[in-house]
Amino acid sequence: MNNKIKKTLGELREKIQEHNYLYHVLDAPHISDAEYDILFKKLVALENQYPEYITADSPTQRIGATPSKEFKESKHRIPMLSLENAFSEDDVFAFNKRIHEKLQTNKQLTFCCEPKMDGLAINLLYIDGHYTQAATRGDGIVGEDITANAKTLQTIPLKLKNKDIPKVIEVRGEIYMSKKTFHDLNKQAEQAGEKVFANPRNAAAGSVRQLDPGITAKRKLSFFCYGIGYYEGEAVFHSQSEILQQLKRWGFPVNPEITTTHSIEECLQFFETIKKKRENLAYEIDGVVYKVDDLHLQKSLGFISRAPRFALAHKFPAQEQITVIEEVDFQVGRTGTLTPVARLKPVNVGGVIVSNATLHNMDEIERKDIRIHDVVIIRRAGDVIPEVVSVIKEERPKEAKKIKAPIHCPVCHSDVTRVQGEAAVRCSGGLICSAQRKEAIKHFASRKAMDIDGLGDKIIDQLVNTKLIHTVADLYDLTHEVLAKLERLGDKSAQNLLEAIQKSKKTTFERFLYALGIREVGESTALMLTQHFSSLEELTKASTESLLPLPDVGPVVSTQIHTFFQQKHNKEVIEKLLKKGIHWEKPKKLSQLPLQNKTFVLTGTLSSLSREKATQVLQSLGAKVSGSVSQKTHYVIAGSEPGSKLSNAKKLNIKILDEKQFLEFIKNVKTST
Ligand code: I6G
């Protein structure tokens, strides 16, 4: 009987472990969450009945340890070294020259190349295939024992899979927090008035160093392994890439971007490819790592001081810089929000001169204790507005001045209000505030809204300042004579602009809704509304309650939509716009759309259209576009350099379309409806 129970428990654990692996490591679940929950509950129930058979590597035991008072020290069996850094191509060529000289060879070498995670290096110890201990890198010799905390990470296997399990093995890798988890965590912290983390690395480190593993478990940390340390066992490895393949077979997550190259020039190409992909990766990286692939050659190369000679970390240009805040201004947004903006002493951040950084809101200023004339660290990430990360307090000058929220709008001088429960301060001027009107017109004319080509910020500023227009509807009264008199606008440009304004009259319902600038209504909400309301009239009459059941609509969104259409001024502007001839084809309801109930996943780069555009096209046909592949995915669109989503799709037998097939598919879907 006992053996039978043990066997059932073992099989159940194995099954759950496999589904955990498919979900968390491969990002390719085979069963639904509900089915997984049933299995898990079954195991919990059986273990409750037979607690004597609970094993340390049972999936139920990931979170179980009680909070500790401190972290114990843990000495690494083999030191965790550091990597030599390279900041330029010259540094990389010098590395290549050095290793060729040391190996006394002219032959091209094979390198194993990987993205360099901006995370927290750790060492995992497995004995007889069982998770036994985890430690931080610490000073490379002694780290902190984080066994209970690392155990809560779903991507860290508690029991190794497949064959050739070594007697003892140390697996090394980095714990990281995805960009999304980081933003969600900071958003929650901000709402709760708690401390926010400066970046995902700090958030990951802070989460791992919690005395209560229950908190670590909630932080949704992830892990990628990059190699092994101490090892006792049969298997013999010949190369770094072979080690990674074996780690994968044992159930460890290995970064899918890792590849081998056959010359240093190819390594530099890898660097450029990853640099381009960086924005779209789900996690932060700060460069790439090149390793001589052959383990014999690695051994011959040996070490200098505390870094292996066979490896190099090629870092991206700094995304953070130090500069000084010279002044702080408040910018008025479309909805009246006053955003503090730091005017900086211009500084080069990763190749771009930055002279402004957002300070977000007054809460953020108070939390970071930012003052005018402070020396600050600023960060630029992709096309996001640069921000102030922190103040270097030791360098604060005597003349540093506290930043005060204005009590009057800097543009229209109306009173400024602070809405309870919101961090933002707002201009109460509404439509008398020219800044708000300008922003509303800019939004209306923007590419994703009415797409009025040639109606740039400078022209809108002039039109509003000279009172030639007050609302977006007035755009359609503009004449060639008026436009041609504006600064920077000659006869020809005025004609082109007039034509663009005329052309914008033929639009789509979703563009029009988005262009109105209703708070909380972005492009996808606008599209969703058009799929549920076939006319503007129907939507304007919708009550808050009737909007609530719609996808992604909560009390805030429904109230904003309803309130917008109740405002007399908004009704008048809409009426005038329609009178001026703005029109669109009656949209199809979701139930009439050809791709309703179909889920698509995009991976890689498409050459003829952006991912954003492809998503829009699919959504407009009723499809759902998801970020990860699962059994619920119907199609995966694979562009060039696809990621792990493509291999997951293949494993799950999901239909894959390349770019040409995708365009053909869309054409057919459109013509058949
Ligand atoms: O491949 C690696 C990624 C990250 C590493 C590494 C690392 O440190 C955070 N450190 C060493 C010493 C090696 N590979 C060999």
Side-chain angles (χ1 to χ4, degrees):
M1 170 68 180
N2 286 357
N3 278 346
K4 201 167 159 220
I5 300 292
K6 268 193 194 165
K7 189 165 171 264
T8 312
L9 279 165
E11 284 166 359
L12 206 45
R13 281 181 195 131
E14 209 121 290
K15 207 165 173 182
I16 292 172
Q17 178 175 305
E18 185 58 20
H19 287 301
N20 254 337
Y21 172 75
L22 290 165
Y23 184 92
H24 293 285
V25 178
L26 296 189
D27 196 10
H30 277 200
I31 56 173
S32 67
D33 293 357
E35 285 166 303
Y36 178 86
D37 285 348
I38 292 172
L39 283 177
F40 200 88
K41 279 187 186 145
K42 205 166 155 187
L43 177 61
V44 172
L46 211 53
E47 284 185 343
N48 279 342
Q49 210 179 339
Y50 299 96
E52 64 275 30
Y53 297 143
I54 296 178
T55 55
D57 60 13
S58 169
T60 60
Q61 300 304 300
R62 283 196 181 268
I63 322 160
T66 46
S68 58
K69 295 213 168 50
E70 57 176 6
F71 293 105
K72 281 190 288 179
E73 284 193 344
S74 168
K75 190 165 190 291
H76 305 304
R77 293 171 184 222
I78 295 183
M80 289 183 80
L81 304 172
S82 42
L83 288 170
E84 191 197 332
N85 288 327
F87 295 98
S88 66
E89 290 200 353
D90 283 351
D91 291 349
V92 177
F93 285 123
F95 159 76
N96 192 43
K97 188 161 172 254
R98 264 194 320 272
I99 53 179
H100 275 81
E101 280 169 6
K102 181 93 183 150
L103 295 171
Q104 296 184 340
T105 178
N106 294 327
K107 285 198 200 134
Q108 297 283 21
L109 297 171
T110 301
F111 294 93
C112 184
C113 304
E114 66 184 59
K116 188 170 180 320
M117 305 299 299
D118 201 5
L120 176 82
I122 61 154
N123 185 55
L124 302 172
L125 174 70
Y126 288 81
I127 300 181
D128 292 325
H130 294 278
Y131 174 86
T132 305
Q133 199 205 29
T136 61
R137 180 180 180 280
D139 63 3
I141 309 290
V142 179
E144 284 178 317
D145 186 320
I146 51 155
T147 309
N149 289 2
K151 193 174 179 182
T152 66
L153 269 72
Q154 298 286 355
T155 42
I156 292 184
L158 298 184
K159 193 170 165 218
L160 304 190
K161 281 154 58 88
N162 292 324
K163 300 184 295 193
D164 303 326
I165 308 286
K167 175 85 193 124
V168 181
I169 186 164
E170 285 183 337
V171 176
R172 291 178 173 178
E174 289 201 57
I175 289 186
Y176 65 93
M177 185 178 278
S178 74
K179 293 179 192 169
K180 181 172 183 310
T181 305
F182 167 70
H183 287 299
D184 292 350
L185 178 68
N186 265 2
K187 208 164 158 190
Q188 267 175 23
E190 210 169 297
Q191 279 163 0
E194 291 165 3
K195 173 179 160 280
V196 292
F197 289 105
N199 53 47
R201 177 170 23 90
N202 288 2
S207 305
V208 164
R209 294 195 75 267
Q210 290 288 330
L211 292 170
D212 178 1
I215 299 181
T216 312
K218 288 197 187 119
R219 296 284 171 88
K220 294 199 197 142
L221 296 168
S222 307
F223 173 72
F224 274 136
C225 61
Y226 63 71
I228 58 177
Y230 180 77
Y231 176 81
E232 271 176 40
E234 297 298 311
V236 180
F237 298 114
H238 300 96
S239 64
Q240 166 70 12
S241 36
E242 235 177 72
I243 292 177
L244 295 177
Q245 285 308 323
Q246 183 58 275
L247 287 170
K248 231 192 233 181
R249 283 194 288 273
W250 284 331
F252 289 96
V254 175
N255 193 319
E257 308 293 341
I258 297 182
T259 186
T260 48
T261 60
H262 302 94
S263 67
I264 205 70
E265 285 76 17
E266 280 186 25
C267 289
L268 291 173
Q269 278 167 21
F270 176 78
F271 177 82
E272 288 305 324
T273 307
I274 295 293
K275 199 159 113 188
K276 273 196 214 123
K277 277 193 177 178
R278 186 180 185 185
E279 280 310 299
N280 293 322
L281 293 176
Y283 43 82
E284 292 282 4
I285 55 172
D286 58 356
V288 299
V289 180
Y290 312 131
K291 287 179 186 167
V292 172
D293 198 38
D294 185 308
L295 297 187
H296 270 111
L297 297 183
Q298 284 194 4
K299 205 165 167 208
S300 309
L301 284 163
F303 304 88
I304 25 181
S305 58
R306 290 182 51 200
R309 263 206 204 87
F310 59 80
L312 185 74
H314 187 180
K315 296 288 199 78
F316 293 134
Q319 296 288 110
E320 287 188 357
Q321 267 300 356
I322 295 174
T323 187
V324 173
I325 298 185
E326 296 185 324
E327 197 44 85
V328 171
D329 292 335
F330 284 80
Q331 254 173 17
V332 189
R334 179 162 56 87
T335 56
T337 307
L338 297 187
T339 305
V341 179
R343 308 294 177 201
L344 308 166
K345 185 163 175 236
V347 61
N348 186 326
V349 190
V352 172
I353 302 293
V354 173
S355 42
N356 300 310
T358 179
L359 298 174
H360 297 292
N361 53 52
M362 290 309 293
D363 280 0
E364 182 94 343
I365 291 176
E366 275 160 38
R367 197 169 34 242
K368 292 183 179 164
D369 187 17
I370 301 171
R371 302 185 192 182
I372 300 169
H373 304 307
D374 264 344
V375 179
V376 289
I377 298 173
I378 59 157
R379 181 190 307 132
R380 184 180 73 86
D383 49 10
V384 188
I385 306 167
E387 61 174 357
V388 171
V389 180
S390 58
V391 174
I392 306 181
K393 293 267 175 62
E394 303 77 59
E395 305 219 8
R396 174 166 281 165
K398 275 200 228 70
E399 69 273 21
K401 249 190 349 202
K402 283 209 169 189
I403 301 161
K404 289 197 193 119
I407 46 173
H408 298 296
C409 169
V411 176
C412 72
H413 312 294
S414 302
D415 288 347
V416 161
T417 56
R418 186 163 187 164
V419 182
Q420 259 214 330
E422 276 188 31
V425 284
R426 267 181 223 287
C427 157
S428 61
L431 291 165
I432 66 146
C433 179
S434 63
Q436 289 188 48
R437 281 187 285 124
K438 281 179 191 169
E439 291 306 314
I441 296 167
K442 286 176 196 169
H443 173 78
F444 182 83
S446 64
R447 194 172 52 82
K448 292 178 193 163
M450 302 302 280
D451 194 18
I452 307 181
D453 202 21
L455 188 60
D457 292 1
K458 295 266 159 32
I459 295 173
I460 294 174
D461 286 350
Q462 285 186 66
L463 288 169
V464 174
N465 291 347
T466 52
K467 301 195 169 41
L468 285 167
I469 59 172
H470 281 85
T471 74
V472 292
D474 300 335
L475 287 170
Y476 296 91
D477 289 332
L478 288 170
T479 61
H480 181 267
E481 198 191 351
V482 168
L483 288 175
K485 282 192 195 134
L486 296 179
E487 259 175 56
R488 298 162 182 257
L489 218 62
D491 214 41
K492 180 78 187 125
S493 308
Q495 185 55 35
N496 289 345
L497 177 53
L498 212 55
E499 280 167 19
I501 294 173
Q502 286 306 313
K503 194 171 146 220
S504 74
K505 287 183 179 173
K506 181 174 185 304
T507 187
T508 61
F509 189 15
E510 67 260 26
R511 273 180 177 273
F512 181 74
L513 274 186
Y514 173 67
L516 291 177
I518 306 167
R519 258 197 238 169
E520 309 289 338
V521 177
E523 295 152 83
S524 55
T525 306
L527 176 65
M528 179 278 296
L529 289 171
T530 66
Q531 290 172 344
H532 289 84
F533 295 91
S534 46
S535 75
L536 180 63
E537 204 190 347
E538 201 188 324
L539 176 61
T540 55
K541 287 185 184 149
S543 64
T544 313
E545 294 71 33
S546 66
L547 290 162
L548 273 175
L550 301 179
D552 300 326
V553 173
V556 175
V557 181
S558 61
T559 308
Q560 290 293 359
I561 297 170
H562 177 74
T563 313
F564 181 90
F565 289 116
Q566 297 313 302
Q567 304 305 306
K568 184 163 168 272
H569 165 79
N570 292 337
K571 283 186 195 169
E572 284 167 6
V573 171
I574 292 172
E575 200 177 319
K576 184 167 173 193
L577 284 168
L578 298 179
K579 263 203 192 129
K580 288 286 166 188
I582 293 200
H583 64 285
W584 53 84
E585 270 180 31
K586 194 172 154 74
K588 291 203 164 87
K589 286 214 169 186
L590 192 58
S591 55
Q592 299 168 302
L593 291 172
L595 299 182
Q596 62 144 336
N597 300 329
K598 293 277 180 280
T599 302
F600 287 70
V601 172
L602 296 157
T603 179
T605 312
L606 300 172
S607 61
S608 56
L609 73 173
S610 64
R611 275 217 204 181
E612 187 188 44
K613 183 74 200 162
T615 304
Q616 249 177 33
V617 171
L618 286 165
Q619 286 176 338
S620 70
L621 294 167
K624 191 168 163 239
V625 179
S626 165
S628 62
V629 175
S630 75
Q631 278 196 322
K632 290 181 196 144
T633 311
H634 296 96
Y635 294 91
V636 167
I637 316 298
S640 61
E641 295 176 35
S644 58
K645 290 174 196 167
L646 180 61
S647 38
N648 293 341
K650 283 181 185 158
K651 276 182 212 131
L652 293 176
N653 261 333
I654 289 165
K655 182 124 185 79
I656 296 159
L657 303 178
D658 65 19
E659 181 166 353
K660 197 164 156 238
Q661 291 167 324
F662 169 58
L663 296 175
E664 190 65 20
F665 174 86
I666 293 295
K667 204 167 110 195
N668 289 340
V669 169
K670 281 186 172 168
T671 47
S672 67
T673 51

